[in-house]
Amino acid sequence: MSGTFEPLPGGGAAVALDDVEISIIRSLAVQLLELIGPGPAEDAPADPLAELFADGPTEPPSDPVLRRLFPDAYSDPEGTPGPREAEERKAYSAEFRRYTENDLRAGKRENALAVIRSLDALSSAGDGGAVLKLSPEESRQWLGALNDLRLAIGSRLEITDEDDSDLLYRLPDEDPRKPMVMAYLWLGGLQETLVATLMP
């Protein structure tokens, strides 16, 4: 999959995607949306004051992917903290999560939806693909969604640092993780070229 983002005059980015690439990105974005969970009910009355003071969760998610997407704000530093310090850190993380996770989820949900909407709006170029053109704002949303997708896949592959990622290149073709690895590496290339288009 060779599509790379190119800068557009006046800002934004463009990338040529074939039908398979479009399908893969859309499918991954839908799965990410399902993992993040639904937002407020569409038919619920909008009460900005209630939304402002709505408490989020205080415990980290049980799913390892969600824990990677919504990590504790006060994680354990190098070494083993004493029991009191560990308890304080846990309380600070719970408080921080309570006030921020709902907004973080909403932002990640909106980024994934922006990816899906822009792919759905593509009209085929007639040769099994299309050129996706993004505004500067859409580019930032795509960048956030690509980052989240890579974090999610990396978590499933149990990648914890750059050394793990180097091992992925040497996986044999018969390894069942190979398709996820290929998606992880391809999304990384897309993300890198999109970052380059946003640099001043």
Side-chain angles (χ1 to χ4, degrees), residues 33 36 104-115 117 141:
L33 269 179
I36 292 169
L104 289 173
R105 280 183 185 262
K108 291 179 185 300
R109 191 179 301 111
E110 200 50 47
N111 289 343
L113 280 170
V115 167
R117 288 179 186 129
Q141 289 179 305

Side-chain angles (χ1 to χ4, degrees), residues 19-44:
D19 288 342
V20 173
E21 293 168 332
I22 292 167
S23 175
I24 290 170
I25 296 171
R26 191 183 189 290
S27 173
L28 290 172
V30 167
Q31 290 175 53
L32 181 64
L33 269 179
E34 290 170 353
L35 187 64
I36 292 169
E42 293 290 326
D43 55 354

Side-chain angles (χ1 to χ4, degrees), residues 15 145 184:
V15 62
Y184 177 82

